[in-house]
């Protein structure tokens, strides 16, 4: 069976979803299918196909598309629309039996194009984040404003047009149901890490990580994007409450719109216990999380309903304590806490985060009991095979 994988990104740039896409492609080939990828060519310095995909025989069409600045919401949206229009001529000639479509802020325009040109081809829509609700929860758009109503209507068309929808947490499924999506269409499959096995923290090391985090201090680590939805500011607020704990040190790895703002805020608070570092390559993530004494996963208020950081599975696989500052009402956070005893706080509760860090610091148990749930719910081979099965199925 011929699968068209229509991406909203270009693989020529580093992306946290590359290992997910690669595993899905490999699972499809294991079942005897072939994959053609329709993607952006945005001037990145990476090859258009990762080595594993190229080795399998995956083919690709790359559509040249300039990138708008991250802070330019209108510019990015218009660029995404332009990309869809450019893809149209290729969609007229490409032949395929099934469609897999990645998350996109213009998904409704994409599905309208697909339904016009390929009405009878089953379509699976992978919802990794829910737009424009994420913009509402991050206070960049007002609920029920005209822009919200228009953009929401466009996205809802994608949900109607899709034959199957795969999302990545029970909280996000609940959000989709509130938007009127047919429950029978929705499957929840957690994102996975880079391998099926958990990591041994004693053996998962890197000279780069060791150099950046030397010594025997208690290492509190946040690694990821530094933007509006991540609420990394709470990490600084927690660090400010722990100035008198000389052995506890905070390490923030990442880039994004708000990094400079946070660095200025750290100077303002005179936080000698905080270090900022650039984002490390994805292959160093396991070593980084294994080096941490506790890994932080913060999100802005209510964002857990529209997204789940892709690093969650890797943090879990590294068997180190985790603090989820994403919201006490999150079904995902509670389920993970029940299985692993990881700490859960509300998104803006810096005091709660500080208490949770101190609890881990003072505890004799320095690892996370996450091996069982990782094997049950976050395995790469199992979850990617589930994707392949849904993508290749008939309608209904």
């Amino acid at each position: 069976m011929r699968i068209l994988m229509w991406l909203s990104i270009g693989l020529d740039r580093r992306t946290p979803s590359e290992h997910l896409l690669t595993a899905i492609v490999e699972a499809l080939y294991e079942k005897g299918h072939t994959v053609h990828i329709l993607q952006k060519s945005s001037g990145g310095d990476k090859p258009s196909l990762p080595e594993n995909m190229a080795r399998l025989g995956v083919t690709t069409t790359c559509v040249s598309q300039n990138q708008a600045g991250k802070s330019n919401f209108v510019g990015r949206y218009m660029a995404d629309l332009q990309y869809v229009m450019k893809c149209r001529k290729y969609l007229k000639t490409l032949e395929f039996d099934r469609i897999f479509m990645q998350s996109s802020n213009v998904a409704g325009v994409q599905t309208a194009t697909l339904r016009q040109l390929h009405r009878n081809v089953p379509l699976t829509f992978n919802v990794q984040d829910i737009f424009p609700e994420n913009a509402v929860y991050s206070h960049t758009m007002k609920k029920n404003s005209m822009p919200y109503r228009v953009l929401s209507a466009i996205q809802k068309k994608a949900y109607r047009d899709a034959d199957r929808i795969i999302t990545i947490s029970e909280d996000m499924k609940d959000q989709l149901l509130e938007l009127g999506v047919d429950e029978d269409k929705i499957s929840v499959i957690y994102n996975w890490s880079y391998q099926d096995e958990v990591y041994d923290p004693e053996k998962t090391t890197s000279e780069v990580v060791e150099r950046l985090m030397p010594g025997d201090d208690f290492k509190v680590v946040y690694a990821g994007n530094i933007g509006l939805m991540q609420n990394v500011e709470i990490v600084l607020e927690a660090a400010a409450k722990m100035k008198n704990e000389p052995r506890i040190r905070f390490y923030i790895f990442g880039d994004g719109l708000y990094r400079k703002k946070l660095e200025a805020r750290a100077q303002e608070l005179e936080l000698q216990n905080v270090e900022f570092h650039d984002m490390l390559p994805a292959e160093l993530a396991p070593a980084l999380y294994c080096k941490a004494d506790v890994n932080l996963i913060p999100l802005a208020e209510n964002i857990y309903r529209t997204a789940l950081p892709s690093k969650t599975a890797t943090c879990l696989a590294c068997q180190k304590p985790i603090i989820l500052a994403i919201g006490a009402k999150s079904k995902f956070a509670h389920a993970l806490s029940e299985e692993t005893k990881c700490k859960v706080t509300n998104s803006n509760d810096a005091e709660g985060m500080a208490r949770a860090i101190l609890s881990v610091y003072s505890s004799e148990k320095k690892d996370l009991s996450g091996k069982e749930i990782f094997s049950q719910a976050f395995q790469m081979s199992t979850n990617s095979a589930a994707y392949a099965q849904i993508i290749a199925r008939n309608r209904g």
Side-chain angles (χ1 to χ4, degrees):
M1 193 174 293
R2 300 164 299 179
I3 312 296
L4 174 70
M5 186 175 279
W6 192 3
L7 305 185
S8 59
I9 59 171
L11 294 172
D12 59 352
R13 293 182 183 272
R14 183 174 62 189
T15 167
S17 62
E18 183 178 312
H19 71 290
L20 304 174
L21 296 169
T22 298
I24 295 168
V25 167
E26 290 174 342
L28 287 165
Y29 272 81
E30 285 178 8
K31 297 295 184 182
H33 309 299
T34 62
V35 175
H36 184 86
I37 296 178
L38 182 58
Q39 61 171 307
K40 291 179 181 176
S41 175
S42 54
D45 58 2
K46 298 186 68 177
S48 59
L49 287 176
E51 185 178 345
N52 288 1
M53 290 189 190
R55 192 184 304 121
L56 287 171
V58 176
T59 56
T60 186
T61 299
C62 297
V63 178
S64 179
Q65 181 60 53
N66 293 329
Q67 298 285 97
K70 289 185 177 180
S71 61
N72 185 355
F73 173 85
V74 174
R76 285 189 294 116
Y77 195 85
M78 295 307 294
D80 288 340
L81 286 175
Q82 187 180 50
Y83 166 64
V84 174
M85 295 303 104
K86 287 181 178 180
C87 288
R88 187 180 178 88
K89 71 175 182 179
Y90 300 105
L91 291 168
K92 288 179 178 179
T93 58
L94 288 170
E95 296 183 353
F96 42 85
D97 306 297
R98 298 289 185 273
I99 305 164
F100 174 79
M101 198 177 82
Q102 191 186 35
S103 270
S104 164
N105 290 352
V106 294
V109 181
Q110 288 179 266
T111 62
T113 302
L114 289 168
R115 287 300 172 231
Q116 182 182 23
L117 299 175
H118 301 279
R119 179 173 299 277
N120 296 318
V121 179
L123 166 64
T124 299
F125 181 24
N126 185 204
V127 180
Q128 293 275 338
D129 59 77
I130 301 176
F131 176 82
E133 276 61 38
N134 52 10
V136 171
Y137 292 143
S138 61
H139 304 293
T140 57
M141 186 182 298
K142 290 185 178 181
K143 181 85 170 181
N144 295 325
S145 64
M146 181 58 72
Y148 170 81
R149 291 200 298 270
V150 171
L151 296 174
S152 180
I154 293 172
Q155 290 301 96
K156 286 179 180 179
K157 176 169 177 52
Y159 304 140
R160 292 194 302 271
D161 286 344
D163 296 285
R164 298 290 299 177
I165 294 171
I166 302 174
T167 194
I168 59 175
S169 76
E170 289 79 6
D171 299 310
M172 292 174 67
K173 178 180 177 179
D174 286 348
Q175 179 69 72
L176 290 172
L177 293 176
E178 285 187 21
L179 293 171
V181 180
D182 181 356
E183 184 171 11
D184 291 339
K185 287 185 177 184
I186 306 173
S187 297
V188 175
I189 303 175
Y190 294 142
N191 284 347
W192 49 89
S193 185
Y194 305 98
Q195 61 184 38
D196 276 346
E197 298 77 23
V198 295
Y199 295 95
D200 182 344
E202 297 299 322
K203 297 179 180 179
T204 308
T205 60
S206 157
E207 290 183 4
V208 174
V209 173
E210 293 292 332
R211 186 171 65 251
L212 293 173
M213 295 196 298
D216 61 353
D217 53 357
F218 185 85
K219 297 171 172 61
V220 182
V221 171
Y222 170 81
N225 190 45
I226 303 175
L228 192 60
M229 290 192 290
Q230 288 75 33
N231 191 29
V232 186
E233 189 164 354
I234 191 178
V235 178
L236 299 187
E237 293 173 6
K241 296 179 182 297
M242 306 178 76
K243 288 182 178 180
N244 297 324
E245 298 288 345
R247 286 204 62 246
I248 300 178
R249 190 158 192 82
F250 292 74
Y251 296 85
I252 298 175
F253 290 82
D255 304 295
L257 291 173
Y258 287 86
R259 173 165 167 173
K260 289 184 178 179
K261 175 184 175 182
L262 289 187
E263 287 177 319
R265 178 61 174 159
Q267 288 185 345
E268 180 184 327
L269 294 172
E270 299 181 344
L271 298 179
Q272 302 301 315
N273 56 346
V274 176
E275 291 184 20
F276 286 86
H277 296 283
D278 291 340
M279 185 84 79
L280 295 181
E283 58 267 22
L284 295 182
L288 175 60
Y289 299 141
C290 282
K291 183 67 174 177
D293 291 291
V294 60
N295 285 297
L296 304 180
I297 303 178
L299 286 176
E301 189 174 10
N302 287 317
I303 292 297
Y304 73 88
R305 304 187 68 191
T306 67
L308 186 66
S310 58
K311 67 181 179 180
T312 305
T314 304
C315 287
L316 188 62
C318 289
Q319 304 184 79
K320 288 299 187 77
I322 297 171
I323 296 174
L324 292 161
I326 70 175
K329 294 182 179 180
S330 166
K331 289 182 178 179
F332 175 83
H334 275 290
L336 205 59
S337 178
E338 288 178 5
E339 293 289 337
T340 69
K341 307 305 178 188
C342 70
K343 310 292 183 182
V344 178
T345 73
N346 280 317
S347 298
N348 297 314
D349 186 3
E351 182 68 41
M353 176 180 278
R355 286 197 305 269
I357 292 169
L358 286 172
S359 175
V360 177
Y361 175 65
S362 61
S363 173
E364 293 183 2
K365 182 177 172 58
K366 300 299 184 185
D367 60 351
L368 184 76
S369 303
K371 188 173 183 178
E372 184 174 348
I373 190 172
F374 182 82
S375 297
Q376 291 175 349
F378 293 89
Q379 285 225 313
M380 178 173 63
S381 59
T382 302
N383 291 12
S384 60
Y387 266 82
Q389 182 178 11
I390 291 172
I391 293 168
R393 71 181 290 179
N394 292 320
R395 282 199 168 103

